[in-house]
Amino acid sequence: MNPISNTAFRPEYHFTPPAGWMNDPNGMVYYRGAYHLFYQHHPRGTTWGPMHWGHAVSKDLIRWEHRPIALAPDEHGMIFSGSAVVDRYDTSGFFGGGEGLVAIFTHHDEHPVTGAARQRQSLAYSLDEGATWIKYAGNPVLSHESHADFRDPKVFRHEGCWIMILASGQTVTIYRSVNLIDWTFASEFGQGIGSHDGVWECPDLFPLAVDGDPQKRVWAMLVSIGNDPGIVEGSRIQYFMGSFDGFAFTPDEASNTVRWLDHGRDNYAAVTWSGIPETDGRTVCIGWMSNWRYANQTPTEGWRSAMTIPRELALDYSEGDAVLVQRPVRELESARQPLLSLLEPEWKEAQSKLSGFGLDSFEMVAEFEAEAGAGEYGISIRMSAEEETRVGFSPQSGELFVDRTRSGVGDFHVDFAGRHAMAAKADGGRMKLRILVDRSSVEVFACGGRAVMTELIFPDPESLGLILFGSEDRVKLLSLELYRLALGS
């Protein structure tokens, strides 16, 4: 059987492994015209197991070509998360004066004497543009005596030096190096700030231009929070904004309040691509579309887990403080296949038009305008008599929500089904929703990317209905665009 053949829940335009288990995205790097995506992978099972680095490449961030496994467990242990960089000036000495790719990752094993879990940082390099990898003979290159959780290195170039940000229990630690091999401690961040509901994982640190001016920059730090049995939300991603001087990150005042990158249940371990040319100018990230609370139990067969759609990150100062906004990469728009376009239609006309479609994967952009006192409104997707997922806005509570209470299969975990919401602000009574649906997922972008929710759903293949909900007397549909997105993985 073809391992990448379609099944009821395998997405059409989100990345999935050809077979087996997948979690964190790793080693994302752009090099010589190709975007590389590595990922935590168990090729021989559909639950978490001996970790490898799977590998795929893309020219456009949407269509992916599967490649052979890049890194496999060895005498130093399993291959946990990490990053990859372009060593343009051969600072490592691996490339004979030329350039190439270097992967920096966590080796995980047990101490030979105590039996305790041990995590150390190691290197691998590629002489053939990422096709094959050679592990550095001097691995590991960085360890710690006391941190049991010491993993997920993200490395980047800053003012002639390599910088590593690394998860270290309930903080992140920053190291510096001139050659990617010898690392010196610079600082630690996290005490007394942010959410500590779970272990800190998969950090990232990167600058964003202010108002498009690369000379004015604010630094953003992403930190994922692992699942804790007492926290119903499970695993999530928080972020901080501030400044970085090459040694230490200093948060801004607004970072004293916990801020979440995504208010849905299913976006974790998101990190950014390195090596994107300055002429492009974008900062692009991707996340693992699942939650450690139930990731091993989702109802797929032969494969498990998908990535989010790649997203462009930017700053928004519209309400004073620097806020991180997310939007689907622009490449997605060039791949749209238009199905329907309505401008200020009557409610009944829109309902009639939508009733003619039966879709399991699509994109919709809809803008509503609500009068004072209007109730909840939005769109029900993947509908049947027994199932629906509701995406909408409540003017009374000022909340964007996704309700997957009746979204399909949900009995695999007690915390899966439910309604999830976040604060969102309508602009003059108007709310514009951009919704990406792909067989077993829904991603919602609102308020210019300030409000984002990512949720898994597992509906029956025959649940294909699509309708509006709300009061047609108090809610006006200003516009609606519907597209098919069938790109393959």
Side-chain angles (χ1 to χ4, degrees), residues 160-363:
C161 186
W162 295 107
I163 307 296
M164 177 194 294
I165 183 170
L166 183 70
S168 47
Q170 291 254 335
T171 64
V172 295
T173 308
I174 294 173
Y175 289 84
R176 294 169 56 89
S177 175
V178 296
N179 58 9
L180 292 166
I181 297 170
D182 303 298
W183 294 92
T184 303
F185 172 83
S187 64
E188 189 171 3
F189 171 81
Q191 295 288 350
I193 192 170
S195 170
H196 293 267
D197 288 340
V199 64
W200 285 23
E201 294 186 311
C202 301
D204 198 355
L205 181 62
F206 50 88
L208 292 168
V210 178
D211 297 326
D213 184 351
Q215 302 304 314
K216 299 178 181 178
R217 303 193 301 180
V218 172
W219 286 77
M221 180 187 292
L222 305 183
V223 178
S224 291
I225 306 295
N227 177 48
D228 182 277
I231 307 299
V232 69
E233 290 85 359
S235 51
R236 294 180 283 176
I237 307 169
Q238 64 180 326
Y239 75 90
F240 307 91
M241 308 298 291
S243 60
F244 178 65
D245 63 4
F247 291 83
F249 174 79
T250 302
D252 61 14
E253 186 174 345
S255 292
N256 288 310
T257 299
V258 175
R259 295 189 285 187
W260 302 108
L261 186 70
D262 193 309
H263 287 256
R265 287 290 194 265
D266 296 303
N267 184 2
Y268 192 67
V271 285
T272 58
W273 262 273
S274 69
I276 293 179
E278 291 184 8
T279 52
D280 182 302
R282 292 182 296 172
T283 299
V284 180
C285 76
I286 197 169
W288 173 45
M289 198 158 54
S290 196
N291 191 309
W292 279 119
R293 201 150 190 87
Y294 43 71
N296 283 283
Q297 299 158 265
T298 53
T300 59
E301 296 182 6
W303 63 278
R304 186 169 270 127
S305 294
M307 296 298 180
T308 68
I309 203 72
R311 303 172 182 188
E312 299 175 17
L313 301 178
L315 294 174
D316 183 355
Y317 281 94
S318 62
E319 296 180 12
D321 297 319
V323 173
L324 201 55
V325 299
Q326 306 169 72
R327 302 181 183 96
V329 289
R330 59 176 178 249
E331 286 85 349
L332 193 67
E333 296 178 24
S334 65
R336 287 168 166 171
Q337 302 172 10
L339 297 176
L340 179 65
S341 179
L342 301 174
L343 184 63
E344 296 190 359
E346 293 295 325
W347 195 268
K348 290 181 180 178
E349 177 195 358
Q351 295 285 42
S352 176
K353 295 283 189 181
L354 289 174
S355 68
F357 293 95
L359 300 170
D360 61 3
S361 298
F362 59 91
E363 177 185 0

Side-chain angles (χ1 to χ4, degrees), residues 41 108 132 152 228 235 243 263 288 305 310 320 322 356 380 405 426 428 431 448 467 489:
H41 186 38
H108 174 91
T132 61
D152 311 336
D228 182 277
S235 51
S243 60
H263 287 256
W288 173 45
S305 294
S380 288
T405 305
M431 176 59 65
I467 67 167
S489 53

Side-chain angles (χ1 to χ4, degrees), residues 133-156:
W133 293 82
I134 303 165
K135 290 172 182 168
Y136 174 51
N139 283 337
V141 299
L142 180 63
S143 59
H144 198 284
E145 293 298 321
S146 59
H147 285 307
D149 296 303
F150 189 66
R151 59 179 176 264
D152 311 336
K154 180 62 189 293
V155 172
F156 60 95

